[in-house]
Amino acid sequence: RRREAAAEEEEVEETPQEKKLRLAKLYLEQLRQLGESRPVPRKDGGGGQPPVLSPALTPRGPAHIPLSLQVQPPDPSSIRVLRGHQLPVTCLVISPDDRFIFSASKDGSLIKCKWEVESGKRLCVVPGGKKGTEERHMGHASHILCMAISSDGKYLATGDRNKLIMIWDAATCKRLYIFTGHHDAVSGLSFRKGTHQLYSASHDRCVKVWNAAENAYVETLFGHQDVITGLDSLSRECCVTAGGRDGTVRLWKIPEESQLVFYGHQGSIDCIQLINEEHMVSGADDGSVALWGLTKKKPLALARQAHGMQDTQGLQQPYWISAVAALRNSDLLATGSHSGSVKLWKCDEGFRKLEPLCDIPLVGFVNSLKFSATGDFLVAGLGQEHRLGRWWRLKEAKNSICIIPLKRRAAAPNPEAPDSS
């Protein structure tokens, strides 16, 4: 191919400047076709989609050091608590630059907040109201269950029990559009990385695709047999969903309008997140946490009773897994329940095993977990109740947002290689 390309170049009479311009255009067109914002190093030299390598698993360079080995167990006294929501926090996101946190709750009058991470100050509050009062205010009139922010930090999307998706200007907190079309509660939202394409999931069992920048509906995908409880996506034109009591995790290939179905949990699958382009983690109300590879229909690893057991009216039952989070492209995971702690986990090389690292004491239902982009901190959204219902109420819990610093251990010196870190 290279010889053919060289021959073609010799046949075309062009100046050095024209050649540079032509090659630059060709290079940009190749990037556009790959759907990537920057080139990914190739290892095989062949054609097709470039492999996306997890830094935790990259063979060479400092990125291959598993991040989990660098993280110290957080000091409970270093956890910062942000108070402001009167009712349980249901969801949160961190801005791509790690400067702001957006949160939402079951509040009627205080629906959505914007916080500054460094100072802990509440910068913006969007008031909500009760059902039937939608025309009187800018916010939602029912519980917000999910939110997402675009990778450029421009758009924020929120979804509620009343079937609505609202698109906001993240900088000003002003509402831009309302998307209608779902027939039940909107339970999952995610922007495709590097784009303004938005995926939404609902209790109406379908996934919808939108264009937030153009205020446009694109298409609807069907397949789940029960309510969808969570959704996530990365750079590829696909998304993953948790199917509640239908017992499946699904990978949706948007251009092909096809799906892959994964089985592994015994209970309702309530939360899901992609770790990288090839692996994901999910949690269920049977207390299990599952690691998946997108090429295997069964979990690569399964941690049962991940948060232990509870005594419910004389019966021993596992604590529900209510939230999962992954530090993108690393081996570090976090899970939440109402067991009194958030747990950090390590995925071993190849994602074949889940190893618990430490417990971070937090009282309440952990309804949302997010790592900062740099991995410097973890944010937890807490409530006295589960985000989806009122089965239990923990009176001792505080409806709040907790910022958990993740300090790195100093690298141990190696006497045989004094220059290595």
Side-chain angles (χ1 to χ4, degrees):
R1 289 181 180 176
R2 289 179 180 176
R3 287 196 295 269
E4 291 174 3
E8 289 177 4
E9 287 179 13
E10 290 174 359
E11 292 173 6
V12 179
E13 294 183 3
E14 57 186 354
T15 66
Q17 293 286 357
E18 290 172 337
K19 180 178 179 180
K20 286 181 180 178
L21 181 61
R22 177 174 60 79
L23 292 177
K25 288 181 178 179
L26 179 63
Y27 179 63
L28 291 173
E29 176 62 17
Q30 290 173 342
L31 287 184
R32 187 192 66 78
Q33 291 177 357
L34 292 173
E36 299 291 337
S37 59
R38 57 180 180 270
V40 179
R42 298 304 306 272
K43 297 190 70 64
D44 57 0
Q49 183 73 15
V52 180
L53 299 178
S54 162
L57 305 176
T58 305
R60 291 186 293 274
H64 85 279
I65 301 171
L67 188 63
S68 59
L69 299 180
Q70 305 174 35
V71 175
Q72 292 180 343
D75 180 357
S77 64
S78 67
I79 298 174
R80 290 193 291 148
V81 180
L82 309 182
R83 299 290 306 278
H85 290 290
Q86 302 302 310
L87 291 179
V89 177
T90 54
C91 54
L92 56 84
V93 293
I94 306 172
S95 63
D97 58 10
D98 288 346
R99 292 179 57 202
F100 306 106
I101 298 169
F102 296 87
S103 62
S105 81
K106 294 182 179 181
D107 299 49
S109 59
L110 197 64
I111 275 291
K112 185 168 70 70
C113 292
K114 180 180 181 179
W115 310 80
E116 187 176 56
V117 171
E118 186 175 351
S119 67
K121 291 182 179 178
R122 195 169 64 195
L123 302 179
C124 175
V125 176
V126 179
K130 296 182 179 179
K131 190 173 182 180
T133 65
E134 291 88 348
E135 300 300 323
R136 303 179 204 166
H137 50 75
M138 191 168 58
H140 288 266
S142 61
H143 300 171
I144 296 179
L145 298 181
C146 53
M147 56 173 39
I149 191 166
S150 59
S151 55
D152 61 0
K154 184 175 182 180
Y155 295 109
L156 181 76
T158 52
D160 69 15
R161 279 199 175 278
N162 198 28
K163 316 169 193 175
L164 299 180
I165 298 169
M166 295 190 182
I167 307 298
W168 309 79
D169 182 315
T172 63
C173 289
K174 290 185 178 180
R175 191 179 73 197
L176 302 175
Y177 320 116
I178 298 179
F179 290 161
T180 60
H182 279 297
H183 300 293
D184 206 335
V186 180
S187 52
L189 289 168
S190 181
F191 281 96
R192 180 186 173 198
K193 190 176 179 181
T195 76
H196 295 141
Q197 189 174 60
L198 176 68
Y199 305 122
S200 65
S202 167
H203 288 185
D204 65 11
R205 309 180 184 184
C206 71
V207 172
K208 290 185 182 288
V209 185
W210 317 81
N211 186 316
E214 298 180 6
N215 187 18
Y217 160 79
V218 180
E219 62 180 313
T220 302
L221 304 171
F222 301 92
H224 276 293
Q225 303 302 306
D226 192 37
V227 301
I228 304 176
T229 53
L231 175 147
D232 195 26
S233 67
L234 280 175
S235 298
R236 293 181 181 174
E237 200 168 357
C238 61
C239 62
V240 295
T241 53
R245 296 208 172 275
D246 78 0
T248 69
V249 165
R250 297 184 186 232
L251 168 69
W252 304 80
K253 298 181 178 181
I254 307 301
E256 296 91 338
E257 296 186 12
S258 65
Q259 57 194 280
L260 298 178
V261 185
F262 304 80
Y263 295 91
H265 292 285
Q266 299 300 311
S268 175
I269 308 172
D270 288 347
C271 43
I272 191 166
Q273 188 171 17
L274 283 159
I275 303 170
N276 53 42
E277 297 283 10
E278 303 296 338
H279 300 90
M280 57 187 169
V281 59
S282 61
D285 70 0
D286 63 2
S288 63
V289 176
L291 272 181
W292 309 83
L294 299 188
T295 59
K296 302 284 186 182
K297 296 297 182 72
K298 298 289 184 182
L300 301 177
L302 187 68
R304 302 183 189 277
Q305 301 171 16
H307 279 252
M309 302 290 285
Q310 63 179 326
D311 185 26
T312 306
Q313 298 178 344
L315 295 175
Q316 288 290 308
Q317 294 184 335
Y319 282 103
W320 294 8
I321 306 302
S322 52
V324 294
L327 180 55
R328 303 289 197 192
N329 298 319
S330 83
D331 65 344
L332 186 62
L333 306 179
T335 59
S337 182
H338 61 287
S339 60
S341 68
V342 165
K343 287 180 177 285
L344 295 184
W345 303 79
K346 171 194 173 183
C347 309
D348 76 344
E349 190 166 341
F351 295 89
R352 297 286 176 178
K353 191 175 181 182
L354 264 175
E355 297 180 11
L357 291 175
C358 63
D359 287 16
I360 304 166
L362 288 179
V363 178
F365 282 88
V366 181
N367 289 324
S368 187
L369 284 170
K370 291 289 187 297
F371 282 101
S372 65
T374 59
D376 290 339
F377 60 92
L378 173 69
V379 182
L382 295 181
Q384 294 182 329
E385 302 169 349
H386 191 283
R387 75 182 183 107
L388 295 177
R390 309 193 68 178
W391 303 285
W392 300 286
R393 183 175 175 83
L394 303 178
K395 293 182 180 179
E396 64 274 21
K398 306 294 184 184
N399 299 315
S400 58
I401 295 147
C402 295
I403 302 176
I404 304 161
L406 300 175
K407 294 182 180 179
R408 309 288 176 86
R409 288 188 177 93
N414 185 342
E416 297 179 2
D419 294 332
S420 66
S421 61

